[in-house]
Amino acid sequence: MAGFVFVQIAYLCRNFFNMSLMLSEQEQVRRQSLAELYQAGINPYPPEQFEVTTNTQIITEQFNENKDAFQDISIAGRIMSRRIMGAASFVELQDSAGRIQLYFKRDDLCPGEDKTLYNNVFKRMLDIGDIIGVRGFVFVTQMGEITVHVTEMKVLSKSLRPLPIVKEKDGKLYDAFTDPEQRYRMRYVDLIVNEQVKDTFIKRTKAINAMRNFFNEHGYLEVETPILQPIPGGASARPFVTHHNALDIPLYLRIANELYLKRLIVGGFDGVYEFSKDFRNEGMDRMHNPEFTVLEIYVAYKDYLWMMDFTEAMIERTVKETTGTDKVKVGDHEISFQRPFKRVTMLDAIKEHTGFDVSGMDEAGLREVCAKLGIETDESMGKGKLIDEIFGEKCEPNYIQPTFITDYPVEMSPLCKRHRENPELTERFELMINGKEVANAYTELNDPIDQRRRFEEQIRLSERGDNEAMFIDQDFLRALEYGMPPTSGMGIGIDRLVMLLTGQSSIQEVLLFPQMRPEKVKKMAETSDFVKLGVPEEWATWIVQAGYQSLEAFKEEKPAVLMQKLNGLRKKNKLDIPALQIDTVEAWLK
RNA sequence: GAUUCGUUAGCUCAGCCGGUAGAGCAUCUGCCUUUUAAGCAGAGGGUCCCGGGUUCGAGUCCCGGACGGAUCACCA
């Protein structure tokens, strides 16, 4: 340990000067404190465990009922604020459960003659953001706040960057850390300082657990299927392409897991489900992330009517277990998840919201209706796509309360069984909530001949220019030819469901690490680069500080300007080196 | 991809008609033994996103670019 500490101090000293040119004042102060901790014989990153006996939430909730239980406790967490008043101080400590106030009194923390731990370690070497462990007893201050009176303190991790300081009074936030870019890029900071963010992600996991439990209770099997697929099937979307070196073939990141799950139904499972990451190489905005989470479930010997009841029950239970109620506020609307949900056929929905009865219409007729409704169309659109456009444009936004839209045109649903009463339609439903599609389900197509014909129809659409039409998966067709029992399947966009449950209006708020354009890292020239050009070391360290961050910028500078800047820095920083002469500078730039 | 708004201290933000860059919190120094977003007093801290242009002079005006937000289009 002693040897290691020496190495650490030597490293800090050697690099301090160079780093100090790049670091903000507050970062320099923290590195200084770090060095002082080592010098005081304290390891700021101790390896051994720190035993925690309780947490902030348990203390605040249970102290008043059972004071005796909290007379010798230890907790650990991050320092979020400090109020130092001479020989006494208050600290707000945050752990995973919440926050509590700590009270430090010099003579209680340091009962002997040596007051170093309080005067130097606590007051000088610790900062907001550091992680400490404390032992002590709980009491109530004159202001009525439950507080831990600290008798022992241990440094557990020194923080080298200043946290954004968010303060709160009566529910009002001061200096909140709100910039979405910084919040998403540095989610760890967001989670530390913005309490509500943690809640969102706890709810997300609760929702997924509720669904998983529901499926398991029904005896369905959670499975895993390939993410890398030779043929990206099961949906119409643009896939990501990658390459497998050993096989020397292209592979696609999955856009859906439908075709693999159905193979498992062929294989004899009664019910299979998977929570899966899917990937689509399309635009990004507040509703779309290139990777997103989907739940798909397939159950043998069922149809879409059964699946509607099943979905309804699952959603209702998930909402209750996640939020504690069956009502959720989203924007101006209060959404009730109380069963039963409304059910409307797609053609009735279009009739209701546009006045047009499009049942049985041909492509030309549909184009005419679109024109009358002011909906743009193009040559690549077939009947299904046209009806979908009308619905999406004129109907979908109206369904705020949970509503099942049923019986979609056959052209829109190449994997779905034809409707038992009308072969132009399919046995399909989508669940609309808050004007958005949340779930999608079929009575699955298990007729291999019909399935092949539908894929071929998709290929024809693809040749017309619809670049989202499906590929033909021959192995999937072979599986169907062995015989798949009648099956119903359903998929849910988990991210969008979580958005509803947490009242968020952008998908980035429910993804821990949403996709962002990579941060641009400026390539900075280093001291040694300038030394190589013949600049003496004592000057080289100041060149970056003078504003030359690349060798190119440095080499292009006029000698007189460079000399002025450097001599300016010499004067400002009272450097103990002789002032530069113009011919010296000219020599560097050659 | 289009439109639009934004980018100034560690954080949140001012900055007027173009004239030496500001506040609060945070940081540092000193004083303070129960304070409640903020004790008191003082101090330090800036590549005003980047690059051009106009100008005697640009954080400010003009052009181009980067990144981000919002809206729209495509998609789940």
Side-chain angles (χ1 to χ4, degrees):
Chain A
M1 177 65 200
F4 175 72
V5 168
F6 178 76
V7 169
Q8 288 293 96
I9 294 173
Y11 179 82
L12 281 168
C13 293
R14 187 155 25 87
N15 287 279
F16 186 75
F17 181 72
N18 203 0
M19 285 190 299
S20 70
L21 301 177
M22 316 292 181
L23 298 176
S24 70
E25 184 200 17
Q26 292 193 50
E27 288 171 298
Q28 291 174 41
V29 166
R30 281 154 187 266
R31 280 176 151 80
Q32 184 62 44
S33 304
L34 180 71
E36 285 171 20
L37 281 167
Y38 279 117
Q39 277 155 7
I42 294 168
N43 183 353
Y45 305 104
E48 66 276 7
Q49 69 165 343
F50 181 83
E51 196 192 338
V52 168
T53 61
T54 180
N55 70 37
T56 57
Q57 190 181 5
I58 294 171
I59 296 172
T60 47
E61 282 176 4
Q62 299 179 10
F63 176 69
N64 284 329
E65 282 79 65
N66 187 7
K67 295 192 164 60
D68 292 343
F70 296 97
Q71 292 312 301
D72 182 15
I73 58 111
S74 73
I75 56 172
R78 194 183 289 274
I79 298 173
M80 297 307 286
S81 77
R82 298 201 300 168
R83 292 184 288 277
I84 297 176
M85 289 154 301
S89 300
F90 291 92
V91 162
E92 220 180 335
L93 190 80
Q94 173 169 287
D95 67 11
S96 70
R99 291 185 180 192
I100 198 162
Q101 178 168 271
L102 306 180
Y103 176 63
F104 288 77
K105 194 170 165 186
R106 186 213 286 138
D107 297 333
D108 292 345
L109 189 66
C110 311
E113 286 301 301
D114 181 8
K115 308 294 184 193
T116 314
L117 185 62
Y118 182 82
N119 285 342
N120 294 350
V121 178
F122 171 72
K123 274 172 71 173
R124 294 180 42 87
M125 300 173 201
L126 289 187
D127 292 285
I128 289 174
D130 292 350
I131 296 171
I132 58 171
V134 296
R135 190 168 166 194
F137 59 88
V138 182
F139 75 111
V140 178
T141 63
Q142 287 173 11
M143 300 301 293
E145 181 157 347
I146 294 173
T147 301
V148 179
H149 190 127
V150 176
T151 53
E152 289 173 31
M153 177 194 77
K154 182 173 183 182
V155 180
L156 299 179
S157 185
K158 176 77 194 157
S159 163
L160 297 181
R161 289 178 185 260
L163 281 176
I165 307 293
V166 181
K167 295 186 173 173
E168 179 262 326
K169 161 96 169 175
D170 301 331
K172 194 177 168 193
L173 291 177
Y174 297 81
D175 300 331
F177 179 60
T178 52
D179 179 2
E181 177 177 3
Q182 293 205 63
R183 288 184 48 232
Y184 302 153
R185 284 195 197 283
M186 297 192 285
R187 183 66 92 181
Y188 35 91
V189 175
D190 191 30
L191 286 163
I192 292 168
V193 304
N194 292 329
E195 201 191 337
Q196 342 70 263
V197 174
K198 223 187 245 172
D199 291 341
T200 300
F201 292 103
I202 291 171
K203 274 189 183 165
R204 180 181 174 115
T205 298
K206 273 189 185 170
I208 291 173
N209 287 345
M211 293 165 81
R212 179 173 278 131
N213 290 339
F214 186 84
F215 299 143
N216 288 345
E217 283 163 21
H218 281 79
Y220 304 138
L221 186 73
E222 182 165 17
V223 296
E224 292 176 278
T225 63
I227 292 172
L228 288 174
Q229 304 182 348
I231 296 167
S236 3
R238 304 232 296 277
F240 284 92
V241 192
T242 184
H243 184 263
H244 190 278
N245 289 340
L247 295 176
D248 193 24
I249 53 165
L251 285 175
Y252 301 87
L253 272 61
R254 76 172 157 210
I255 56 174
N257 38 0
E258 171 152 5
L259 302 188
Y260 282 94
L261 291 175
K262 284 188 192 167
R263 284 172 171 95
L264 294 177
I265 297 294
V266 171
F269 291 108
D270 262 345
V272 289
Y273 72 93
E274 180 172 13
F275 287 94
S276 63
K277 271 283 178 75
D278 286 356
F279 307 83
R280 297 193 184 172
N281 205 342
E282 290 161 355
M284 289 163 56
D285 56 37
R286 66 180 213 294
M287 295 301 286
H288 301 266
N289 195 63
E291 58 182 290
F292 57 104
T293 305
V294 167
L295 166 276
E296 287 191 37
I297 181 165
Y298 292 82
V299 184
Y301 309 112
K302 306 294 187 190
D303 62 11
Y304 80 133
L305 297 171
W306 175 89
M307 187 60 86
M308 242 185 282
D309 296 335
F310 183 79
T311 302
E312 212 172 51
M314 186 213 51
I315 295 274
E316 188 193 63
R317 173 156 152 198
T318 301
V319 172
K320 276 185 179 159
E321 283 189 17
T322 307
T323 66
T325 79
D326 57 11
K327 292 190 173 52
V328 175
K329 261 200 98 122
V330 180
D332 301 333
H333 303 293
E334 187 181 74
I335 295 172
S336 167
F337 288 88
Q338 178 75 50
R339 277 186 288 170
F341 301 165
K342 234 179 12 175
R343 301 179 184 195
V344 185
T345 69
M346 176 169 255
L347 296 178
D348 283 347
I350 291 176
K351 208 186 294 173
E352 185 186 338
H353 292 103
T354 69
F356 288 102
D357 184 354
V358 296
S359 57
M361 254 185 209
D362 61 8
E363 203 175 303
L366 287 166
R367 251 174 235 290
E368 202 176 309
V369 171
C370 283
K372 282 181 189 155
L373 292 170
I375 296 167
E376 282 184 37
T377 60
D378 66 59
E379 277 310 301
S380 77
M381 291 177 176
K383 264 171 77 175
K385 191 89 180 163
L386 290 167
I387 292 176
D388 192 32
E389 285 293 312
I390 297 171
F391 180 79
E393 191 73 22
K394 298 294 172 190
C395 309
E396 198 171 284
N398 298 310
Y399 296 104
I400 303 299
Q401 297 300 324
T403 305
F404 289 114
I405 303 297
T406 65
D407 303 345
Y408 285 58
V410 67
E411 295 85 352
M412 295 171 60
S413 319
L415 297 162
C416 185
K417 193 174 269 190
R418 283 177 205 272
H419 196 276
R420 59 196 74 181
E421 285 156 12
N422 181 348
E424 292 275 286
L425 302 176
T426 53
E427 298 207 346
R428 173 180 181 181
F429 71 80
E430 287 195 357
L431 176 59
M432 300 288 164
I433 305 175
N434 198 34
K436 301 265 160 43
E437 174 201 337
V438 169
N440 181 22
Y442 304 151
T443 299
E444 301 296 338
L445 179 56
N446 63 344
D447 174 347
I449 308 290
D450 193 10
Q451 182 67 81
R452 187 175 295 273
R453 204 181 309 127
R454 302 258 208 108
F455 276 146
E456 283 162 1
E457 178 61 25
Q458 288 289 307
I459 295 292
R460 276 194 289 281
L461 283 173
S462 161
E463 281 160 2
R464 277 170 70 171
D466 181 350
N467 58 12
E468 286 172 358
M470 293 183 186
F471 298 74
I472 292 192
D473 185 335
Q474 297 293 347
D475 176 69
F476 172 68
L477 288 172
R478 178 167 62 189
L480 286 191
E481 285 166 8
Y482 279 95
M484 181 172 85
T487 298
S488 183
M490 188 262 298
I492 290 186
I494 296 296
D495 310 294
R496 292 192 178 171
L497 181 66
V498 173
M499 284 167 66
L500 276 175
L501 295 181
T502 56
Q504 297 293 346
S505 57
S506 92
I507 197 168
Q508 285 80 10
E509 292 291 347
V510 302
L511 298 170
L512 281 166
F513 301 102
Q515 193 58 244
M516 303 282 284
R517 200 178 289 271
E519 238 175 315
K520 259 212 318 210
V521 183
K522 268 193 197 161
K523 230 181 119 188
M524 302 262 258
E526 289 176 26
T527 305
S528 58
D529 297 330
F530 296 110
V531 173
K532 278 177 204 150
L533 292 179
V535 180
E537 184 135 6
E538 67 261 30
W539 278 115
T541 50
W542 291 97
I543 288 174
V544 176
Q545 178 76 341
Y548 303 97
Q549 300 193 339
S550 71
L551 283 176
E552 292 72 29
F554 174 74
K555 285 181 191 158
E556 283 165 18
E557 186 59 285
K558 295 185 185 89
V561 175
L562 178 60
M563 184 183 75
Q564 271 184 14
K565 281 192 184 171
L566 289 176
N567 279 335
L569 280 170
R570 172 180 171 272
K571 199 171 164 190
K572 189 178 167 195
N573 294 285
K574 303 189 177 86
L575 299 183
D576 190 21
I577 9 178
L580 285 167
Q581 302 300 314
I582 188 72
D583 46 339
T584 321
V585 178
E586 278 170 354
W588 296 348
L589 294 176
K590 263 175 200 157

